[in-house]
Amino acid sequence: QVQLVESGGGLVQAGGSLRLSCAASGRTLYHMGWFRQAPGKEREFVAAISRSGINTYYADSVKGRFTISRDNAVNTVYLQMNSLKPEDTAVYYCAADSIATMTPTYDYWGQGTQVTVSS
């Protein structure tokens, strides 16, 4: 069992930056992912990172702007978001699974944190 708690969301102007954090407790050595869901849209993949942190994966829409990382010593995954655009506005979810995947089929999910980018 894994519990995930996201933080770091907020309101930012276009071009700005935010860093999301996801603190994990319980059994924590999982592949980790970030997904987002905008109103009226399906949940979509943003980024993922392997257990070791060596392998990372990004959606084309965020490649070059977002960076996923993890610190296994403190059981935390981060999503650094730079050059934010209004279309990045969504609720961002952290997820954990034993399989690395870009589909929203992860076993464990956080409650989400709102990111709003104003133009």
Side-chain angles (χ1 to χ4, degrees), residues 24-99:
S25 59
R27 186 181 172 190
T28 56
L29 199 58
Y30 282 90
H31 299 288
M32 302 293 294
W34 286 98
F35 290 78
R36 65 187 181 187
Q37 189 165 18
K41 294 188 177 181
E42 294 186 351
R43 191 167 298 189
E44 65 173 0
F45 170 77
V46 175
I49 188 165
S50 61
R51 290 186 181 90
S52 65
I54 292 176
N55 298 310
T56 57
Y57 312 88
Y58 296 95
D60 288 342
S61 59
V62 306
K63 204 170 291 184
R65 299 189 298 123
F66 291 11
T67 302
I68 189 171
S69 61
R70 67 189 298 164
D71 185 342
N72 287 339
V74 292
N75 298 328
T76 302
V77 175
Y78 306 97
L79 185 68
Q80 178 66 44
M81 306 185 295
N82 298 329
S83 302
L84 282 161
K85 304 175 181 180
E87 51 263 44
D88 294 318
T89 295
V91 177
Y92 283 70
Y93 297 91
C94 173
D97 200 280
S98 57
I99 300 173

Side-chain angles (χ1 to χ4, degrees), residues 4 11 36 48 85 92 107 109:
L4 304 172
L11 173 63
R36 65 187 181 187
K85 304 175 181 180
Y92 283 70
D107 288 336
W109 292 85

Side-chain angles (χ1 to χ4, degrees), residues 7-9 18-22 34 77-79 81 92 113 115:
S7 61
L18 282 175
R19 188 176 82 155
L20 305 183
S21 298
C22 173
W34 286 98
V77 175
Y78 306 97
L79 185 68
M81 306 185 295
Y92 283 70
T113 186
V115 171

